[in-house]
Amino acid sequence: MVIPPETHLSETSLPPPHPESDISSDNPFSPLRNDIFPCTACGEVFQKPHFLEQHQATKHAVSPLLDGDSGKNIVRIIFKTGWTDKVRNPEIHRIFKIHNSTKILARFEEYRELVKAKAARNGAVVGRRDERCIADGNELLRFYCSTFMCDLGLNGSSGICSQQYCSVCGIIKSGFSPKMDGISTLSTSWRAHMAVPEDVEEEFKFMNVKRAMLVCRVVAGRVGSEGDETNKEDGGFDSVIGRGGGNMAHHTKVDEEELLVFNPKAVLPCFVIVYTV
């Protein structure tokens, strides 16, 4: 119920206190109604908001896209379009939407605003406006292939595991690691697939290693090329074209296969595809 601003609550409008009640703010062991935080997905109740966030980040991290869902068809088409190998076709087993935590989402949005602001400042100073960067941070849809070791999404499960070497679950839970020397994102699923050693499943079969494809939103920002003396500290570029790229300095249109993004906050995984070849 919305109270109009001209309406004032006076003490007389409030119900009289009940001294016989032992539920009060002075008693830390008595849970007040506004001190509980229920999970909207499963109904489990938590006493602290960060406990609820941890619960949702692990137990409800993904949700399956079902057959007939228009979103599933779109993701499937995006994934298959880049597959140029006519001999071996990927078989999609499961597609999931990733429910990023509020923390990861906030990091992504804040980074995009920084890139937009920097592009606007640069345009004002040097007179060259990077319109895409100013508009949306030069956001692109890119692919990232990695491995996982658990039963991710099997039988409709929405949780992720906490195994140390389960890369996909680690990325979904915490985002990309700042320890990485840039994040290599690819323009097609086929190129992303090829970026992971072909025999990784066979070599680590004893560890139940499988691969999955992450479909990501990427804030590319101002893009340099390997020919430039570009590094993540110089502040001039936010990402760089990798192998096979042309001279892309000072341009924002990216068609090249590999884009190395300097800041892990710039990559937001949105869907995960479990597949085999």
Side-chain angles (χ1 to χ4, degrees):
M1 181 177 68
V2 179
I3 299 175
E6 66 274 8
T7 304
H8 299 281
L9 290 177
S10 66
E11 288 185 9
T12 56
S13 65
L14 297 174
H18 296 280
E20 68 275 8
S21 172
D22 61 4
I23 297 180
S24 70
S25 57
D26 297 328
N27 187 346
F29 300 103
S30 298
L32 297 175
R33 184 175 297 277
N34 61 348
D35 281 342
I36 61 172
F37 302 89
C39 174
T40 54
C42 67
E44 190 171 346
V45 174
F46 298 88
Q47 300 298 325
K48 302 287 184 181
H50 66 273
F51 290 153
L52 172 61
E53 189 171 327
Q54 289 173 0
H55 164 82
Q56 291 177 330
T58 54
K59 300 300 183 185
H60 307 292
V62 298
S63 61
L65 296 184
L66 305 175
D67 290 333
D69 188 319
S70 60
K72 183 173 185 177
N73 293 330
I74 292 170
V75 175
R76 180 189 284 114
I77 291 169
I78 292 171
F79 176 78
K80 293 252 187 179
T81 298
W83 210 268
T84 57
D85 190 332
K86 303 303 181 186
V87 179
R88 297 178 305 165
N89 288 311
E91 182 183 353
I92 296 175
H93 300 290
R94 303 186 291 280
I95 300 178
F96 302 96
K97 181 179 180 180
I98 297 172
H99 301 291
N100 289 290
S101 69
T102 52
K103 185 177 180 180
I104 291 176
L105 281 172
R107 283 193 320 216
F108 177 77
E109 297 293 348
E110 286 167 8
Y111 177 76
R112 184 169 59 181
E113 291 305 312
L114 286 173
V115 170
K116 288 164 60 178
K118 185 171 71 172
R121 286 196 306 270
N122 289 343
V125 172
V126 302
R128 184 186 65 249
R129 290 174 63 84
D130 290 335
E131 300 295 346
R132 276 294 307 279
C133 285
I134 295 172
D136 64 0
N138 193 18
E139 184 176 319
L140 307 168
L141 187 69
R142 307 285 290 185
F143 295 90
Y144 184 90
C145 188
S146 192
T147 56
F148 68 103
M149 302 167 59
C150 63
D151 294 328
L152 178 65
L154 201 62
N155 299 322
S157 169
S158 62
I160 55 175
C161 77
S162 57
Q163 296 184 60
Q164 183 179 358
Y165 298 109
C166 193
S167 298
V168 170
C169 286
I171 292 169
I172 293 173
K173 182 179 181 181
S174 306
F176 286 86
S177 170
K179 296 178 181 178
M180 296 174 70
D181 188 23
I183 300 163
S184 175
T185 66
L186 286 300
S187 59
T188 67
S189 61
W190 163 246
R191 294 297 175 188
H193 172 83
M194 294 301 292
V196 175
E198 190 173 351
D199 60 351
V200 66
E201 290 101 334
E202 191 62 36
E203 188 174 349
F204 295 99
K205 194 173 183 178
F206 68 99
M207 296 175 68
N208 196 33
V209 166
K210 303 167 288 290
R211 74 174 75 203
M213 189 70 64
L214 294 169
V215 183
C216 307
R217 292 169 61 188
V218 177
V219 175
R222 190 156 173 258
V223 183
S225 71
E226 281 189 321
D228 301 314
E229 292 186 4
T230 310
N231 60 63
K232 65 180 71 175
E233 283 81 28
D234 69 3
F237 298 101
D238 305 297
S239 57
V240 62
I241 291 295
R243 53 183 174 272
N247 182 15
M248 287 293 295
H250 317 316
H251 292 274
T252 56
K253 187 174 185 299
V254 179
D255 293 318
E256 274 70 8
E257 292 170 355
E258 182 183 27
L259 180 71
L260 192 70
V261 184
F262 296 147
N263 196 316
K265 298 176 185 177
V267 185
L268 182 74
C270 298
F271 300 96
V272 56
I273 302 166
V274 177
Y275 71 101
T276 53
V277 177

